[in-house]
Amino acid sequence: MSDRLEFMKEAIKLSENGMKNNDGGPFGCVIVKDGKIIGRGWNKVTGTNDPTAHAEVTAIRDACKNLGTFQLDGCEIYTSCEPCPMCMGAIYWARPSKVFYANTRQDAANIGFDDSMIYHEITLPLTERKIPIEPLGREFALEIFNEWSNKLDKTKY
């Protein structure tokens, strides 16, 4: 059996353990670098009252803490389910080299984790979304963006 399948089985095991402990839904994730697991996560939404505590996000936080960096260059992500839109955003920000998933988004929808509304909403103009989104205070916020643009000691990412 391949190492990749073993890493996926570990992610699936985390999904089962988190579910059985009532931490959240049945989702798990491991992050691998150079053939070693450097980050683990599982869904902790209900256990922590944190809607962002999805398996991929908790695994990214763990891996970045363990690596001492905010990027996952050269890492692979193994997740028990196709990442939701929020987790995909976090994955793109972390910049791993590859993502493997087991269950599909349709499998998740079939058990009550349906993200189709979010996928649809992000394609709509801001004025047509279910949650009103409107600009406010841009002239003040632009001052800080200008400061950032001129800041000499910033860490680029």
Side-chain angles (χ1 to χ4, degrees):
M1 199 169 305
S2 77
D3 287 345
R4 285 184 166 160
L5 186 54
E6 290 303 313
F7 295 137
M8 183 59 75
K9 284 183 175 184
E10 179 65 18
I12 294 167
K13 185 173 108 181
L14 290 172
S15 76
E16 180 182 27
N17 292 345
M19 175 192 64
K20 286 183 175 177
N21 289 334
N22 290 320
D23 292 331
F27 304 96
C29 182
V30 297
I31 299 177
V32 175
K33 185 171 180 127
D34 300 325
K36 295 181 181 168
I37 295 175
I38 51 96
R40 287 178 168 80
W42 57 92
N43 186 292
K44 299 178 182 181
V45 169
T46 58
T48 61
N49 293 321
D50 179 353
T52 69
H54 288 199
E56 296 89 344
V57 171
T58 61
I60 289 168
R61 290 172 181 162
D62 187 46
C64 289
K65 180 185 74 170
N66 292 333
L67 291 174
T69 183
F70 53 85
Q71 302 277 256
L72 295 177
D73 299 325
C75 294
E76 294 178 338
I77 294 179
Y78 295 80
T79 182
S80 67
C81 188
E82 183 179 353
C84 75
M86 177 186 70
C87 292
M88 279 309 303
I91 288 166
Y92 274 98
W93 280 112
R95 297 181 178 93
S97 60
K98 193 161 189 173
V99 176
F100 297 93
Y101 68 93
N103 292 318
T104 67
R105 71 172 84 164
Q106 186 58 54
D107 296 330
N110 291 343
I111 63 163
F113 294 93
D114 188 353
D115 297 324
S116 61
M117 183 275 290
I118 298 171
Y119 286 107
H120 175 71
E121 283 284 302
I122 60 178
T123 66
L124 297 175
L126 296 179
T127 57
E128 295 178 25
R129 295 186 183 176
K130 291 181 193 268
I131 298 174
I133 301 173
E134 61 184 70
L136 177 66
R138 180 172 179 255
E139 64 274 17
F140 304 109
L142 275 176
E143 292 176 19
I144 307 305
F145 271 20
N146 288 333
E147 284 183 41
W148 171 260
S149 184
N150 296 320
K151 186 173 170 51
L152 299 177
D153 62 343
K154 65 186 164 199
T155 302
K156 293 182 180 181
Y157 60 102

